[in-house]
Amino acid sequence: MTEKALSNHRLALLNLQRKPFRTWALLAVVALLAFVLFGGSVMIRSLENGIEGLQARLGADIVVVPEGYDQDLAGVMIHGEPTYFFMDKDVLAQVQSCEAVEIASPQFYLASLNAECCGSSVPIIGFDPESDFTVQPWITEQYSKSLDRGQIIVGSDIVAQNDGTVLFFGRNYEVAARLERTGTGADVSCFTTMETIEDLYRDAREKGAYFKQGVTYENSISSIMVRVRDGFSLTQAAGQIRRATEGKVEIVQTQRMIDSVGGSLQGVAGGLYIIAGVFWLLALALLSIVFSVTANERKKEFALFRILGATRRRLSRLILREAFYISLGGGVLGVLLAALAVFPFSVYIGDRLGMPYLLPGMGEILLILCGSLLLSAACGPLASAHAARKISRAETYHTMREGE
């Protein structure tokens, strides 16, 4: 029978196996730390990506909507909430007459019926191809052609039928392209031209969709996307629009909308960073106490190793190796649990947070993974350093005579 050498690696594993309850308890502490570090970092980065996606999605400096519907606009843009609201089409000419307005492009919002294309209602956003400067530049990477009548571009979460169409108000519309995920309301929205919106509107009326009295496709729009001319501030442009429309509209500065969401992000991110820092310090303190108590209980064991020829340096390495194995194992376990909690439920997490949410790419995830494992793995050796130094300096003779 071949005997295996008692290397520090084997000794460390045998010592951890000898005390399974203590080992698993320490693993759980480090796993919880790694869970918070990895899961929290992925969530923060996902929220930052969502904000960036929202900024790229909006495109306009100012959005003009009917009076009292600024929050509804945020619901459509950020969360993809199905809704529709309208104002008189004459407002477009009033906005275009303002000196500070370079481009003003109308949009028309509809909401599909439940249990049609996606099992639930989704926003349908119509844009004017001739004046649009927000939707078409954004979707060019996926579809560079002009949309024909009856064609629709869908968000990443919209499921098309097997024949490549979606069903709205009893009619099938061809899916021209599918957009990449943005983490915003665009993921659950559809985009099409005003020509197709006209068909959708008429079908909606025939299917019994309710529109306020006086609202027709010919005389109504939902919003106006505005680009401010160089040399004018947003405040100046907003003032001119307010005077031109006699204050009968809401003027939404998109940067303020983004700043508002960004302020919420800072609060969430700050809270997660504080929690992660507290967990790291608590884990470090708890592990330090446990390793100190354990080292004190094993003083005679280490003294016996010294009698058998083990050097002080080897004893220190043995303690540090045990701590490293615990922290590395706990880190891997915590990261795996966090991955199972964060990735499959990313859409749900974004909905619960009420902010744009887009998972980072594989490269960023790997960096976050390495950083979380590094901090978790460092926790054990740092916590056991004092105990290792104390044991290495203990006198063998006095240690063996203790208790006599």
Side-chain angles (χ1 to χ4, degrees), residues 25 50 76 97 137 176 179 252 281 329 364 366:
V76 173
S97 68
L179 300 173
V252 180
L281 292 175
E364 284 186 280
L366 289 176

PDB file of all heavy atoms in Angstrom, residues 25 50 76 97 137 176 179 252 281 329 364 366:
ATOM      1  N   ALA A  25     -19.991  26.006   8.300  1.00  0.00           N
ATOM      2  CA  ALA A  25     -20.448  27.286   8.848  1.00  0.00           C
ATOM      3  C   ALA A  25     -19.601  28.437   8.305  1.00  0.00           C
ATOM      4  O   ALA A  25     -20.133  29.494   7.910  1.00  0.00           O
ATOM      5  CB  ALA A  25     -20.383  27.260  10.367  1.00  0.00           C
ATOM      6  N   GLY A  50     -28.820  50.129 -18.157  1.00  0.00           N
ATOM      7  CA  GLY A  50     -30.181  50.547 -18.456  1.00  0.00           C
ATOM      8  C   GLY A  50     -30.296  52.045 -18.635  1.00  0.00           C
ATOM      9  O   GLY A  50     -31.010  52.523 -19.538  1.00  0.00           O
ATOM     10  N   VAL A  76     -44.127  54.767 -20.623  1.00  0.00           N
ATOM     11  CA  VAL A  76     -43.910  54.167 -21.942  1.00  0.00           C
ATOM     12  C   VAL A  76     -42.423  53.998 -22.216  1.00  0.00           C
ATOM     13  O   VAL A  76     -41.968  52.925 -22.637  1.00  0.00           O
ATOM     14  CB  VAL A  76     -44.560  55.027 -23.045  1.00  0.00           C
ATOM     15  CG1 VAL A  76     -44.180  54.493 -24.429  1.00  0.00           C
ATOM     16  CG2 VAL A  76     -46.069  55.045 -22.891  1.00  0.00           C
ATOM     17  N   SER A  97     -43.178  76.294 -35.108  1.00  0.00           N
ATOM     18  CA  SER A  97     -43.041  77.733 -35.346  1.00  0.00           C
ATOM     19  C   SER A  97     -42.050  78.406 -34.406  1.00  0.00           C
ATOM     20  O   SER A  97     -41.657  79.552 -34.626  1.00  0.00           O
ATOM     21  CB  SER A  97     -44.409  78.412 -35.199  1.00  0.00           C
ATOM     22  OG  SER A  97     -44.854  78.372 -33.837  1.00  0.00           O
ATOM     23  N   PRO A 137     -32.678  56.410 -36.445  1.00  0.00           N
ATOM     24  CA  PRO A 137     -31.239  56.271 -36.212  1.00  0.00           C
ATOM     25  C   PRO A 137     -30.916  55.165 -35.206  1.00  0.00           C
ATOM     26  O   PRO A 137     -29.883  54.506 -35.302  1.00  0.00           O
ATOM     27  CB  PRO A 137     -30.839  57.648 -35.654  1.00  0.00           C
ATOM     28  CG  PRO A 137     -31.880  58.574 -36.157  1.00  0.00           C
ATOM     29  CD  PRO A 137     -33.151  57.778 -36.159  1.00  0.00           C
ATOM     30  N   ALA A 176     -40.419  43.142 -39.470  1.00  0.00           N
ATOM     31  CA  ALA A 176     -39.289  43.480 -40.339  1.00  0.00           C
ATOM     32  C   ALA A 176     -37.954  43.249 -39.647  1.00  0.00           C
ATOM     33  O   ALA A 176     -36.960  42.869 -40.282  1.00  0.00           O
ATOM     34  CB  ALA A 176     -39.392  44.938 -40.800  1.00  0.00           C
ATOM     35  N   LEU A 179     -35.230  44.265 -32.402  1.00  0.00           N
ATOM     36  CA  LEU A 179     -34.190  45.101 -31.805  1.00  0.00           C
ATOM     37  C   LEU A 179     -33.423  44.337 -30.727  1.00  0.00           C
ATOM     38  O   LEU A 179     -33.944  43.419 -30.103  1.00  0.00           O
ATOM     39  CB  LEU A 179     -34.819  46.356 -31.200  1.00  0.00           C
ATOM     40  CG  LEU A 179     -35.567  47.259 -32.175  1.00  0.00           C
ATOM     41  CD1 LEU A 179     -36.278  48.368 -31.416  1.00  0.00           C
ATOM     42  CD2 LEU A 179     -34.612  47.841 -33.207  1.00  0.00           C
ATOM     43  N   VAL A 252     -41.469  67.988 -21.346  1.00  0.00           N
ATOM     44  CA  VAL A 252     -40.581  67.091 -20.600  1.00  0.00           C
ATOM     45  C   VAL A 252     -39.167  67.213 -21.154  1.00  0.00           C
ATOM     46  O   VAL A 252     -38.931  66.940 -22.338  1.00  0.00           O
ATOM     47  CB  VAL A 252     -41.049  65.627 -20.715  1.00  0.00           C
ATOM     48  CG1 VAL A 252     -40.110  64.704 -19.937  1.00  0.00           C
ATOM     49  CG2 VAL A 252     -42.480  65.482 -20.222  1.00  0.00           C
ATOM     50  N   LEU A 281     -16.732  43.376   6.182  1.00  0.00           N
ATOM     51  CA  LEU A 281     -16.132  43.610   7.495  1.00  0.00           C
ATOM     52  C   LEU A 281     -16.629  42.599   8.534  1.00  0.00           C
ATOM     53  O   LEU A 281     -15.845  42.100   9.359  1.00  0.00           O
ATOM     54  CB  LEU A 281     -16.455  45.039   7.958  1.00  0.00           C
ATOM     55  CG  LEU A 281     -15.784  46.164   7.163  1.00  0.00           C
ATOM     56  CD1 LEU A 281     -16.286  47.517   7.636  1.00  0.00           C
ATOM     57  CD2 LEU A 281     -14.267  46.088   7.307  1.00  0.00           C
ATOM     58  N   GLY A 329     -13.699  28.265  -1.464  1.00  0.00           N
ATOM     59  CA  GLY A 329     -14.884  27.422  -1.625  1.00  0.00           C
ATOM     60  C   GLY A 329     -16.165  28.200  -1.366  1.00  0.00           C
ATOM     61  O   GLY A 329     -17.148  28.073  -2.108  1.00  0.00           O
ATOM     62  N   GLU A 364     -17.732  41.906 -19.042  1.00  0.00           N
ATOM     63  CA  GLU A 364     -17.944  42.611 -17.771  1.00  0.00           C
ATOM     64  C   GLU A 364     -18.307  41.636 -16.658  1.00  0.00           C
ATOM     65  O   GLU A 364     -17.850  41.777 -15.520  1.00  0.00           O
ATOM     66  CB  GLU A 364     -19.044  43.656 -17.928  1.00  0.00           C
ATOM     67  CG  GLU A 364     -18.622  44.897 -18.668  1.00  0.00           C
ATOM     68  CD  GLU A 364     -19.710  45.945 -18.655  1.00  0.00           C
ATOM     69  OE1 GLU A 364     -20.650  45.827 -19.469  1.00  0.00           O
ATOM     70  OE2 GLU A 364     -19.633  46.879 -17.829  1.00  0.00           O
ATOM     71  N   LEU A 366     -17.408  38.532 -16.379  1.00  0.00           N
ATOM     72  CA  LEU A 366     -16.199  37.813 -15.965  1.00  0.00           C
ATOM     73  C   LEU A 366     -15.319  38.687 -15.070  1.00  0.00           C
ATOM     74  O   LEU A 366     -14.721  38.194 -14.103  1.00  0.00           O
ATOM     75  CB  LEU A 366     -15.417  37.358 -17.193  1.00  0.00           C
ATOM     76  CG  LEU A 366     -16.055  36.212 -17.998  1.00  0.00           C
ATOM     77  CD1 LEU A 366     -15.230  35.922 -19.250  1.00  0.00           C
ATOM     78  CD2 LEU A 366     -16.181  34.955 -17.141  1.00  0.00           C
TER      79      LEU A 366
END
